[in-house]
Amino acid sequence: MAGYEYVSPEQLAGFDKYKYSAVDTNPLSLYVMHPFWNTIVKVFPTWLAPNLITFSGFLLVVFNFLLMAYFDPDFYASAPGHKHVPDWVWIVVGILNFVAYTLDGVDGKQARRTNSSTPLGELFDHGLDSWSCVYFVVTVYSIFGRGSTGVSVFVLYLLLWVVLFSFILSHWEKYNTGILFLPWGYDISQVTISFVYIVTAVVGVEAWYEPFLFNFLYRDLFTSMIIGCALCVTLPMSLLNFFRSYKNNTLKHNSVYEAVVPLFSPCLLFILSTAWILWSPSDILELHPRVFYFMVGTAFANSTCQLIVCQMSSTRCPTLNWLLVPLFLVVLVVNLGVASYIESILLYTLTTAFTLAHIHYGVRVVKQLSSHFQIYPFSLRKPNSD
């Protein structure tokens, strides 16, 4: 298993022919962030590998997740009558979130600046982005938390899925059209949330208890913005781009079945995880919300990474992610009825297995592509230059 090769020879051959094609029409990105990133990238030394910048940004997102997990493990810290997250934590999280977002914006510019752009760099970037979704959403949840003034853990679970499906839509588009249409919601959400973290440190979480307009609470605004952005911006634009490609006869897959194959595993993951929540004898989501979110987000990231490999190599996406098999078995066992502590053990075991499997997948894919392209993933030196 240690030497298992996830990328097939056919996919490696497809990577050799790959050409990056992306469209960014977001005004915030085009007129504000890109000029800012163009300035920032000049600070980095030319010997600094782009993938190291990408990985550093990802680690900052993970650090924010772990920091907030320490101060708000069960999402009650922002509720009235509970010990709140210290103000300095909100400041740190806000700054690091914006720094991580900035690093994610300059890594590609550093690659072009140092003439080191490779398919591995794009795969590495987008693969980590797919895993960052769950870290980002769950960390944001602590602003409102649960309780009388917050959002229920089940509502946050649904909002997490809105974000996950919004993310995968972009790569589903590219799988079918050959062009990555960068979503508007990403830049807007990153800048807004970074600002909200800092504001929370200044005004305190109590400020979010008050109505935003009439009886419309800030938590309702938070929920409405996520759903509204997905339904009114992300989904319509994805379908429009897909339709345009269809009209221009540039779709890469002719049948409806082949076009939607990449969505099978994410949809099945949603069905199985939701079934577990609804059938859980111990109300597992209420008991371990953070772990459950992480389990779902990790399984989703693995399916998304497989899709990205396939769309970049112009190969067929797998119909089923085999990580869903143990999840199906766990849901089946839970439906038969188990003790509360057994269900918790199953959740933690499955989460650990998913995490190790996903890390193994990522490490092996990076090693395969590094060997194939004869590059070091975190250095600009060539192997034959040693």
Side-chain angles (χ1 to χ4, degrees):
M1 187 67 178
Y4 186 83
E5 295 187 344
Y6 293 99
V7 184
S8 68
E10 179 189 4
Q11 289 174 328
L12 289 174
F15 273 108
D16 288 333
K17 304 173 185 176
Y18 177 74
K19 299 294 182 183
Y20 180 67
S21 179
V23 175
D24 189 357
T25 59
N26 183 1
L28 174 61
S29 176
L30 291 175
Y31 302 114
V32 179
M33 299 315 305
H34 276 292
F36 173 69
W37 295 331
N38 287 334
T39 301
I40 293 297
V41 74
K42 296 175 184 177
V43 176
F44 295 111
T46 53
W47 52 260
L48 184 62
N51 288 341
L52 195 56
I53 297 175
T54 303
F55 193 57
S56 298
F58 173 73
L59 290 180
L60 292 181
V61 174
V62 174
F63 177 80
N64 276 352
F65 174 85
L66 295 176
L67 183 64
M68 202 57 73
Y70 177 80
F71 286 100
D72 185 21
D74 299 318
F75 305 109
Y76 278 117
S78 293
H82 290 261
K83 183 179 179 180
H84 297 328
V85 173
D87 292 341
W88 68 265
V89 173
W90 293 116
I91 295 174
V92 169
V93 170
I95 293 174
L96 293 186
N97 188 81
F98 188 78
V99 171
Y101 167 55
T102 300
L103 294 178
D104 191 41
V106 303
D107 53 4
K109 295 182 182 297
Q110 176 74 350
R112 290 183 286 275
R113 177 174 174 240
T114 57
N115 196 29
S116 59
S117 297
T118 64
L120 173 59
E122 181 182 344
L123 175 62
F124 191 68
D125 185 5
H126 295 160
L128 290 180
D129 285 345
S130 68
W131 207 6
S132 295
C133 287
V134 65
Y135 293 111
F136 173 71
V137 173
V138 175
T139 303
V140 170
Y141 186 29
S142 289
I143 295 175
F144 303 97
R146 51 177 167 170
S148 59
T149 60
V151 178
S152 74
V153 289
F154 185 70
V155 169
L156 195 279
Y157 165 78
L158 297 178
L159 293 178
L160 172 62
W161 269 109
V162 171
V163 173
L164 296 180
F165 274 121
S166 296
F167 180 88
I168 204 171
L169 269 179
S170 296
H171 294 284
W172 172 78
E173 282 180 71
K174 189 175 183 182
Y175 179 78
N176 285 285
T177 67
I179 302 173
L180 179 64
F181 296 91
L182 300 175
W184 284 28
Y186 173 69
D187 296 285
I188 297 172
S189 63
Q190 292 295 323
V191 173
T192 301
I193 291 301
S194 298
F195 177 74
V196 170
Y197 282 138
I198 303 298
V199 170
T200 301
V202 176
V203 302
V205 294
E206 295 85 359
W208 308 124
Y209 301 165
E210 302 300 322
F212 168 69
L213 184 65
F214 303 114
N215 291 323
F216 195 68
L217 300 177
Y218 281 99
R219 68 178 182 189
D220 303 319
L221 177 64
F222 166 70
T223 303
S224 301
M225 286 179 64
I226 293 178
I227 297 175
C229 183
L231 295 181
C232 300
V233 180
T234 304
L235 181 59
M237 291 184 70
S238 293
L239 296 178
L240 177 61
N241 293 328
F242 182 87
F243 179 73
R244 284 174 175 168
S245 186
Y246 169 76
K247 292 288 289 184
N248 295 331
N249 292 319
T250 56
L251 284 179
K252 301 177 70 174
H253 305 280
N254 295 325
S255 72
V256 174
Y257 175 81
E258 289 298 330
V260 299
V261 159
L263 302 179
F264 287 174
S265 287
C267 288
L268 183 57
L269 174 61
F270 172 73
I271 293 170
L272 290 174
S273 57
T274 304
W276 187 351
I277 294 171
L278 298 179
W279 292 341
S280 172
S282 65
D283 208 351
I284 194 69
L285 187 61
E286 288 286 340
L287 200 60
H288 304 291
R290 189 177 292 273
V291 179
F292 197 92
Y293 296 147
F294 182 73
M295 181 271 294
V296 169
T298 302
F300 169 85
N302 190 261
S303 293
T304 305
C305 286
Q306 292 185 31
L307 166 59
I308 296 172
V309 167
C310 292
Q311 52 102 330
M312 290 183 68
S313 60
S314 297
T315 54
R316 187 180 186 275
C317 187
T319 305
L320 176 70
N321 184 338
W322 292 105
L323 285 184
L324 300 182
V325 174
L327 176 59
F328 170 78
L329 295 176
V330 168
V331 173
L332 192 62
V333 170
V334 168
N335 187 41
L336 296 176
V338 294
S340 176
Y341 77 95
I342 294 295
E343 187 175 12
S344 296
I345 291 175
L346 288 173
L347 173 61
Y348 276 86
T349 302
L350 194 63
T351 302
T352 302
F354 280 5
T355 303
L356 294 177
H358 186 52
I359 292 174
H360 184 268
Y361 175 85
V363 170
R364 289 303 306 164
V365 168
V366 168
K367 284 187 175 180
Q368 271 192 269
L369 290 179
S370 297
S371 175
H372 180 73
F373 289 109
Q374 296 186 331
I375 57 174
Y376 288 123
F378 298 111
S379 173
L380 295 182
R381 293 182 302 156
K382 298 289 185 180
N384 57 10
S385 67
D386 290 345

